[in-house]
Structure formats: C-alpha cells, structure tokens
Amino acid sequence: MSTISQFALLFIGGALINNILLTRFIGLCPFFGVSGNMETSMGMSLAVVFVMMMASTATWVVWEFVLAPLGVGEFLYIPAFILIIASLVQFVEMYLRKASPVLYRAMGIFLPLITTNCAVLATATEAAKPGFFKLNIPVGASLSLGQALIYTLGVSIGFGFALITFAALRERLELAAVPRAFKGSPIAFITAGLLSLAYVGFSGWFGL
Amino acid sequence: MDDAIESRVVGPSPHIAAPTTCTHIMLWVVAALAPSALWAVVTMGWVAAQLLLICIGVALATEYVWNAIARRPQTLTDGSALVTGLLLAMSLPPRTPWWVAAAAALVAIGLAKQLFGGLGHNLFNPALVGRAFVAVSWAGVFAAAPSRGWFQTLPEVTAEGFDAISGATRLAVAAADRAASGAYGFDLAAQYQPLLWRNLEGSLGEISAALLIAGGLLLIVRGIIDWRIPAGYIGTMALVSWAFGADALFHILAGGVMLGAFFMATDYVSSPMSKTGRFAYGVGCGLFNAVGRFVGAMPESTTFAILFMNGLAPLIDRMTRPRTFGWVKRDA
C-alpha cells in the first residue's frame, strides 16, 4: 500500500469511520458542554485540533525514546501521558497568553478545559501506542511520527466536524416545540444518538 | 401548522389565500407514491399489503396516542403520519416480521417526530430513523430476509419452480462479485428492464423505478418538491458510480436511490432551505450513498447517507444563508 493511501486511510479512519465522538463515545463532556453555542463550539474545535496535535507529538516522542526502550511503557504510559499532556498544554497556554493574544482569545479559555480530556488522552495514546481502539489500519504494529500526526489530525478534525454539526442541530432545537420534560439535555442526548445512528453508515468502510 | 412553500415573498396586504395546506401537500405525496405501493401489492402479494397496513396503522396510532397523552391537538388529519408510515413501509423488505415493522413505525413517529415537537420540528427524516433503528437493532432479520428469498414461499412461485431467481438483491450480488473478483458475474445492462418495471428483490419501494420517477416528476411539476435535491442526488450518484468504474445507470436504478432522492431526501423539515443549500445537500446524499456502496460493508447505504445529510442540513443552511436585499456582506 502506497504512503499516500495509507495517509488517506488513517485520516478518514480517524475522522469519519471511527469518529471519536459519535462512534467511540469518548470526549462527550465538551460535546455536550459547549455545543449549545456555535461560536464556543468553533473555538473548542480549534483548541482540540491544536492540543491533540501537540499531545500526540509529545507522547509519540516519549513512548519511542523513553518508555519503550526502558521497558516500562506497558504499565507507566497512562500516568506519563497525562502528566506530559497536562503540563505541556499549561505551558503553551501561558506562552500563548503573552505571545499571541489573538490566538489566545480564539481558543485560550478552552485550553485548560481539555488538558486532561479523555479524547485527547485516548488519541495521543493511540498515536504513540496503537492497539487500544483495535483499528484495522494496515500500517503494521506502530505508527511513524508522520502517520501518527495524520491520524491525530483526522481524529481532531472529525471531533470538530461532529461538534459543529451538533451545535447547528442544537440551535434548531432551541426553536422546536419539544415536550417540557425533554427540553435541554435530554433532547440533546437523543439528537446525539440519532446523529450517531447516521454515522453507523460509515462502519466497515474500506474494511476499517 | 405552517405550510412550507418554496420562496414565498411576503408583501404588504391584501393577500391572496392559497388553497395549499399541509394536508394538501401530504396527500399529493401519497398520490405520487400510491402507484408504486399498489404495484408492489399486486406483484408481491399479501405480504406487501400486510407490511403497508402495519406501518401505516402503527404510525397513525402512535401519533394519536402521543397527542392524546401530551394533550396536544390531534394532528392525524394533516396526513404527515400517513406519509411517514407509507414511506417506512416502502423502505422495508416485504418479509419483514410484523413486530420489526411495528417497532420501526413506533420509533419513527414517537422518537424521531413527536419527541422533537411534532411536524415541522423533527431534525431527521422520521421514516429513515425508523428504518435505520430496526436495521441496526435487528441486523440479522434484515440480512436473513433477502437471502432466504421471501418470494420462494409464495405458492405460485414454488409451483412453477422459478429456479433462476436469486434471493439476494442485485446490489448485494454486485457487491459480492466485486469483493470476490473485482468484476461482475452478470450482465448489468440486462437488469435495467426488471429494475425499471418489476423487481421482486429488495424493499417494497424497489419494485419499479419507473413508477417512482413518474411520482417524483409529478411532485416536481406540482411544485411540491424542489428539483435540486433529486437532481443533485441522482446526478452525483451516477457520476461517482462512473468514477468507480461501475455501470452508472444500474447504480441509480438499483436499491433505494429513487425512493430516497424523490421522497426521503426532499422532506421539508430535514433538508436545507436555501436553493444552493438544497443542491449541495443533494450532492452530499449522492456522494455518501455511492461511496458507501463501493467501499462500505453493506451493499446499500441510502438510509445512512440521507440521515447523515439530514444532520448536516442546519450547518448547510448557516453556510448558504442568502444576503438580505440591500445589505452588503460584512467581512468576517
């Protein structure tokens, strides 16, 4: 399989077929938390792309050059990755606040919210140490850094796409005559369920 | 209950009252679908009539009971539950067990429509939600129904011994051939005639593509559905099938494309409002439907393609919002 088609499969597999929100059901707190408003969900999507890319790079390097060679990866990877991701994001947030106020305003408030988010941890873990999601991606036992980053880009864009889609749906729900008992979160959960039903159509694409 | 009429310009009074009401539109849809449904009953027999009765009956009953419990005004007379039940039945294979069909109708009206506030508020096409729900919940029933060959149990077929009829749908056979050898083991062009006029494999709505096209054109001519959605849908479907090196005409005639493009995707509430948006929505439906057929695990993906685009419709509306007359577009 050529490199290009491997990259394409990693991207589509991460973004649509194994959409982290709607088929894996990971990272649902930001999915329901910020989707009430279009602007915040856009800021959140941007922040997730940014953080996931950084986190995957960091965890890939740490796994490849520290944890795996020392033979401690199998039982130390979760605490190690959480610490690395959380501290990295905090440092970047401090740096952004000083260096780039525009970027900070666009996504700054979301950075602390997702430092220890499960979706970020799951994606960074999968990029460094594939096997958790049991993705049937024909690339061998481990990903190269380039493959890990393409995969992470796919997952984070899939996250943002699902979040923005859901925000647009919820905006329409505001005007719907939903029975009182179902207003707000209940109908949002049902809508997410129906959206997830639509994503069932992607299961098995390319044998993934 | 607002009547959804395309591009209505509201000027100062006096206004001319149009006779077009919600009921009026729904009955036109029923009229456009009736020939296909009747032809399905004639050719497939009592099983098709049974399925139609169950779906429509349960849909109407759910609507009635919900409104009674929620103390809302009864909406049976607007015809929308009738259309949902009819569309649902047309999307199911004839030998669907009655309880699966009933569950689909219950979910379609109860979960996908009334829970969101009734007609005009549903985010997803109710009939498709019902179908997708049972297709995912009882996948075994759906997988078993065609391969068993429901028509072989009909007395006149077993008597005459039609041993050349295969049980699986043409799309399933085509998908299996493609997976096995990359080439088709049967003549695709020879399937145009049966697909157009009398196709016993697959769902009720696959009985005759020609009758569905006629019904769809009638709705377009009457101004009830927008031509942009079916045109974008079927056009993209043909183009993508051709790009995958398949027979484009076979792929638009087989499966649920005609029913989906003319009757499912054109649902007012779950499709975009702007003209550009509708075309883009149709193109999206065709793209996901066609790509799903060629790379997916299932031979057909009409239901999920349209549901996915239903989910995108509010976003498409946001992106294709028309400019207010006299206003200049503000730079973001």
Side-chain angles (χ1 to χ4, degrees):
Chain A
M1 184 173 281
S2 72
T3 320
I4 299 292
S5 57
Q6 264 184 1
F7 277 0
L9 274 190
L10 279 167
F11 185 85
I12 299 172
L16 283 182
I17 302 161
N18 289 289
N19 186 290
I20 195 156
L21 289 171
L22 293 167
T23 60
R24 297 285 167 184
F25 306 112
I26 299 177
L28 293 185
C29 359
F31 189 54
F32 288 101
V34 303
S35 57
N37 178 302
M38 199 60 170
E39 276 66 43
T40 55
S41 60
M42 282 180 170
M44 181 54 115
S45 305
L46 190 65
V48 164
V49 174
F50 186 72
V51 168
M52 276 191 181
M53 293 301 277
M54 277 196 328
S56 285
T57 316
T59 55
W60 190 90
V61 169
V62 167
W63 175 266
E64 193 71 17
F65 296 111
V66 183
L67 293 178
L70 292 178
V72 294
E74 283 308 321
F75 51 89
L76 219 54
Y77 72 95
I78 291 180
F81 288 173
I82 289 184
L83 267 179
I84 294 163
I85 295 169
S87 45
L88 181 69
V89 175
Q90 289 303 314
F91 275 126
V92 169
E93 190 209 347
M94 285 156 69
Y95 173 76
L96 269 187
R97 191 180 298 182
K98 292 284 180 203
S100 172
V102 179
L103 204 57
Y104 182 77
R105 237 176 290 134
M107 61 183 194
I109 47 167
F110 301 108
L111 288 179
L113 282 178
I114 52 169
T115 44
T116 51
N117 183 272
C118 49
V120 177
L121 179 66
T123 310
T125 308
E126 186 67 19
K129 183 182 164 301
F132 178 67
F133 283 152
K134 301 198 168 42
L135 297 182
N136 187 19
I137 296 174
V139 287
S142 66
L143 303 174
S144 70
L145 183 58
Q147 288 170 336
L149 288 181
I150 288 286
Y151 171 72
T152 310
L153 188 68
V155 173
S156 54
I157 285 178
F159 181 103
F161 182 68
L163 182 60
I164 290 171
T165 310
F166 190 55
L169 283 169
R170 283 189 75 174
E171 269 188 354
R172 196 164 281 188
L173 276 181
E174 296 283 308
L175 302 171
V178 178
R180 209 165 11 169
F182 283 93
K183 272 210 186 323
S185 292
I187 199 71
F189 272 91
I190 289 167
T191 310
L194 294 183
L195 196 56
S196 163
L197 187 63
Y199 271 70
V200 169
F202 295 119
S203 68
W205 275 32
F206 305 106
L208 296 182
Chain B
M1 223 41 80
D2 190 26
D3 44 351
I5 301 170
E6 178 198 344
S7 63
R8 188 170 46 178
V9 180
V10 181
S13 62
H15 294 148
I16 300 171
T20 317
T21 63
C22 193
T23 316
H24 188 90
I25 289 172
M26 292 295 171
L27 289 182
W28 268 108
V29 176
V30 172
L33 263 178
S36 304
L38 288 178
W39 181 232
V41 171
V42 169
T43 50
M44 293 178 170
W46 172 236
V47 278
Q50 222 172 2
L51 188 66
L52 282 163
L53 286 177
I54 290 169
C55 286
I56 293 172
V58 174
L60 292 175
T62 312
E63 178 106 345
Y64 179 83
V65 171
W66 181 284
N67 282 332
I69 293 176
R71 300 213 181 93
R72 291 192 177 190
Q74 277 304 338
T75 45
L76 283 184
T77 49
D78 68 19
S80 61
L82 174 66
V83 168
T84 300
L86 181 58
L87 280 173
L88 178 65
M90 297 296 279
S91 76
L92 293 172
R95 272 291 157 114
T96 311
W98 67 269
W99 47 275
V100 171
L106 188 71
V107 166
I109 296 291
L111 184 79
K113 184 181 164 196
Q114 293 297 351
L115 214 50
F116 285 88
L119 183 63
H121 299 294
N122 51 297
L123 295 174
F124 297 88
N125 185 321
L128 285 177
V129 171
R131 187 189 192 281
F133 176 81
V134 294
V136 171
S137 304
W138 292 290
V141 169
F142 272 71
S147 62
R148 204 170 52 228
W150 63 270
F151 46 81
Q152 282 163 8
T153 59
L154 297 177
E156 65 271 31
V157 173
T158 40
E160 290 178 38
F162 279 59
D163 52 16
I165 302 177
S166 95
T169 63
R170 287 173 174 78
L171 272 178
V173 175
D177 282 0
R178 212 163 40 231
S181 60
Y184 298 105
F186 62 102
D187 183 14
L188 292 179
Q191 311 302 324
Y192 298 159
Q193 290 301 325
L195 285 173
L196 269 175
W197 303 111
R198 188 172 184 276
N199 168 32
L200 286 176
E201 291 86 34
S203 305
L204 256 61
E206 294 173 44
I207 186 73
S208 158
L211 286 178
L212 285 178
I213 296 171
L217 291 179
L218 172 74
L219 292 184
I220 291 174
V221 169
R222 295 291 311 174
I224 288 173
I225 62 173
D226 191 343
W227 61 271
R228 289 172 187 84
I229 295 175
Y233 194 145
I234 296 169
T236 311
M237 194 79 204
L239 211 62
V240 176
S241 303
W242 175 76
F244 270 95
D247 188 323
L249 197 54
F250 172 76
H251 273 280
I252 58 173
L253 289 177
V257 177
M258 289 304 163
L259 188 67
F262 285 112
F263 295 94
M264 298 284 199
T266 50
D267 174 26
Y268 289 141
V269 195
S270 54
S271 60
M273 282 176 268
S274 66
K275 289 173 183 168
T276 333
R278 283 178 179 174
F279 192 71
Y281 166 89
V283 168
C285 288
L287 180 70
F288 283 105
N289 193 344
V291 174
R293 277 185 185 182
F294 291 108
V295 306
M298 295 172 280
E300 176 62 308
S301 57
T302 305
T303 310
F304 295 109
I306 301 176
L307 275 180
F308 180 72
M309 292 310 290
N310 281 170
L312 285 188
L315 201 62
I316 295 175
D317 265 340
R318 266 187 87 97
M319 287 160 71
T320 57
R321 196 175 286 168
R323 190 174 59 95
T324 314
F325 183 73
W327 287 64
V328 180
K329 195 172 184 177
R330 187 172 45 151
D331 294 327

